[in-house]
Amino acid sequence: MTNNLPEDDNITKIKKWFKRNLTWVYFTVAIIFILFPNTSYSPFNEYWNNLLQKIGFVGLTSGVFASVLKSIQFTGLFQEELTKIISGNEFLNNRKDLPDLWKKISKSIYAEKFPEISDLLQDRILETYFPMDTHHYNEDLIVSIVIHEIDKDFIINYTQTIEYNAILDSEKNQSNIVYTDTITDDKGVEEKNELLSFKIDGTEVDLDKCREVKREDGKIKYIHKVPITGKKKFKIFLKVKNTYSLKGENVKLLRFNTITKNVDLTVSHNKDIDVSFFNVGLVNDFEPIHTDIENTLSRRHRDDLILPRQGFGLSFNKK
């Protein structure tokens, strides 16, 4: 067997030399093409001599441009300025294709690993977890649930209070606070949701004026969208009284529809009621707090975000 390694090394060295000296190669070939047709050694007629000269002039200008460009790249100025333009906020804000750009970037990260599901994964993250249509996030959310009773027919009655700060997108300067109330469409089932208060910055809001009713999957949904605009932070307060049967399902889910930071939960109940807590879709779970207080369940979520469709659940039983 013949060993071709030395020959391969020579070819590699030649290629590297051409890459390093490409500007001078362009320049030398261009000069030859310009000067050679004017000498007595040229075997070509006038047409071909003129053509060679034109090619030489084109090659010369290309070589000069390549030389200048190479010099700028070498000093780092071109690379630094280009990086500033591409990564700058002004450049990104002026783009109309940010969702498509994000898909291309994300595809370069994981498409090679999961080509069969990459498109579905991109759409799910972009449409569900990125705040494309919501222009605020929630912060310092406090949930307080007081369970008044679970009667002999397993009907639960409790009052729920939620208060938090809505932090507005500084560029959009407007958003909607969405409150959805869902009850069963079965008239034979006892269920009642009574809105006691809905306030924004301490001012009571009439939700009847912004109510939309939908029926789906045996449920009636009352969707309320309250616009907020004009400043950075709004204080939201919601208080409702709920009554429904636990015979079909003894679980209450609270899943957020907006990105939320910092959550505190307190559940107070009678001594004959047992309440259990579980996390829903979270990466970092709620932590138990105030475990020494009787007839109270307390949880806290810090140093992380709760994304849309994530949250927590409670299950109820009589002892």
Side-chain angles (χ1 to χ4, degrees), residues 22-24 26-27 30 57-69:
L22 189 59
T23 301
W24 295 109
Y26 267 120
F27 184 79
F57 281 116
V58 172
L60 179 63
T61 56
S62 299
V64 172
F65 175 75
S67 178
V68 174
L69 184 61

Side-chain angles (χ1 to χ4, degrees), residues 32 143 191 194-195 243:
I32 292 174
V143 182
E191 187 168 353
E194 181 183 358
L195 178 64
T243 301

Side-chain angles (χ1 to χ4, degrees), residues 11-190:
I11 294 175
T12 302
K13 290 179 180 179
I14 293 172
K15 289 181 178 179
K16 289 182 178 179
W17 184 89
F18 268 99
K19 288 181 179 179
R20 288 196 303 268
N21 299 278
L22 189 59
T23 301
W24 295 109
V25 172
Y26 267 120
F27 184 79
T28 303
V29 172
I31 293 297
I32 292 174
F33 271 54
I34 293 171
L35 299 179
F36 181 73
N38 293 321
T39 66
S40 59
Y41 298 102
S42 176
F44 306 112
N45 58 31
E46 184 178 356
Y47 171 81
W48 287 106
N49 284 332
N50 290 334
L51 181 61
L52 288 175
Q53 282 187 323
K54 291 179 180 179
I55 294 174
F57 281 116
V58 172
L60 179 63
T61 56
S62 299
V64 172
F65 175 75
S67 178
V68 174
L69 184 61
K70 188 177 183 68
S71 175
I72 294 175
Q73 286 179 313
F74 180 78
T75 60
L77 294 176
F78 181 80
Q79 183 177 1
E80 289 179 9
E81 291 305 315
L82 186 61
T83 301
K84 289 179 182 178
I85 293 172
I86 293 177
S87 61
N89 288 336
E90 184 176 354
F91 173 79
L92 293 175
N93 291 337
N94 288 330
R95 292 192 66 129
K96 306 300 182 183
D97 61 338
L98 286 180
D100 292 333
L101 179 62
W102 178 84
K103 286 184 179 182
K104 291 177 182 177
I105 294 173
S106 61
K107 183 172 288 187
S108 68
I109 298 175
Y110 54 71
E112 292 184 1
K113 289 186 176 182
F114 313 115
E116 298 85 358
I117 63 171
S118 62
D119 289 338
L120 184 61
L121 184 59
Q122 291 162 12
D123 291 338
R124 172 59 64 218
I125 294 174
L126 186 63
E127 295 172 6
T128 303
Y129 297 120
F130 277 9
M132 298 294 293
D133 298 323
T134 302
H135 303 304
H136 75 275
Y137 72 91
N138 298 335
E139 187 176 60
D140 298 332
L141 189 142
I142 301 173
V143 182
S144 176
I145 298 175
V146 178
I147 303 175
H148 305 296
E149 67 170 343
I150 299 178
D151 66 16
K152 60 181 182 180
D153 296 321
F154 224 54
I155 302 296
I156 187 171
N157 183 292
Y158 67 88
T159 300
Q160 174 178 283
T161 302
I162 300 178
E163 51 186 316
Y164 60 92
N165 294 317
I167 312 298
L168 214 60
D169 179 348
S170 58
E171 294 185 358
K172 296 296 182 181
N173 201 35
Q174 61 181 0
S175 189
N176 289 311
I177 302 297
V178 180
Y179 164 60
T180 302
D181 187 15
T182 304
I183 63 174
T184 182
D185 200 10
D186 188 350
K187 295 182 180 180
V189 176
E190 183 176 355

Side-chain angles (χ1 to χ4, degrees), residues 121-298:
L121 184 59
Q122 291 162 12
D123 291 338
R124 172 59 64 218
I125 294 174
L126 186 63
E127 295 172 6
T128 303
Y129 297 120
F130 277 9
M132 298 294 293
D133 298 323
T134 302
H135 303 304
H136 75 275
Y137 72 91
N138 298 335
E139 187 176 60
D140 298 332
L141 189 142
I142 301 173
V143 182
S144 176
I145 298 175
V146 178
I147 303 175
H148 305 296
E149 67 170 343
I150 299 178
D151 66 16
K152 60 181 182 180
D153 296 321
F154 224 54
I155 302 296
I156 187 171
N157 183 292
Y158 67 88
T159 300
Q160 174 178 283
T161 302
I162 300 178
E163 51 186 316
Y164 60 92
N165 294 317
I167 312 298
L168 214 60
D169 179 348
S170 58
E171 294 185 358
K172 296 296 182 181
N173 201 35
Q174 61 181 0
S175 189
N176 289 311
I177 302 297
V178 180
Y179 164 60
T180 302
D181 187 15
T182 304
I183 63 174
T184 182
D185 200 10
D186 188 350
K187 295 182 180 180
V189 176
E190 183 176 355
E191 187 168 353
K192 181 181 179 181
N193 293 344
E194 181 183 358
L195 178 64
L196 301 178
S197 179
F198 186 92
K199 297 178 182 180
I200 296 181
D201 290 337
T203 301
E204 200 72 38
V205 178
D206 185 3
L207 293 183
D208 292 338
K209 296 180 179 180
C210 55
R211 175 179 295 172
E212 178 185 355
V213 182
K214 289 186 178 180
R215 282 178 166 82
E216 56 183 33
D217 300 328
K219 299 284 186 180
I220 303 176
K221 288 186 176 181
Y222 300 96
I223 304 170
H224 312 83
K225 293 183 180 180
V226 183
I228 53 174
T229 184
K231 62 177 186 176
K232 179 67 175 179
K233 183 167 71 173
F234 294 83
K235 185 72 174 181
I236 312 300
F237 178 86
L238 170 69
K239 188 173 185 179
V240 295
K241 187 174 183 180
N242 297 320
T243 301
Y244 61 90
S245 174
L246 296 174
K247 289 182 178 179
E249 189 176 66
N250 68 330
V251 171
K252 168 184 170 58
L253 296 179
L254 200 158
R255 291 189 290 194
F256 300 99
N257 55 21
T258 305
I259 294 175
T260 302
K261 177 185 177 183
N262 297 341
V263 177
D264 285 279
L265 166 70
T266 301
V267 182
S268 301
H269 55 86
N270 297 331
K271 60 182 180 180
D272 63 334
I273 298 174
D274 184 38
V275 181
S276 298
F277 175 93
F278 57 92
N279 297 278
V280 177
L282 298 178
V283 176
N284 294 319
D285 295 341
F286 278 78
E287 296 181 357
I289 58 173
H290 307 314
T291 56
D292 56 336
I293 302 177
E294 293 185 354
N295 304 325
T296 299
L297 181 148
S298 297

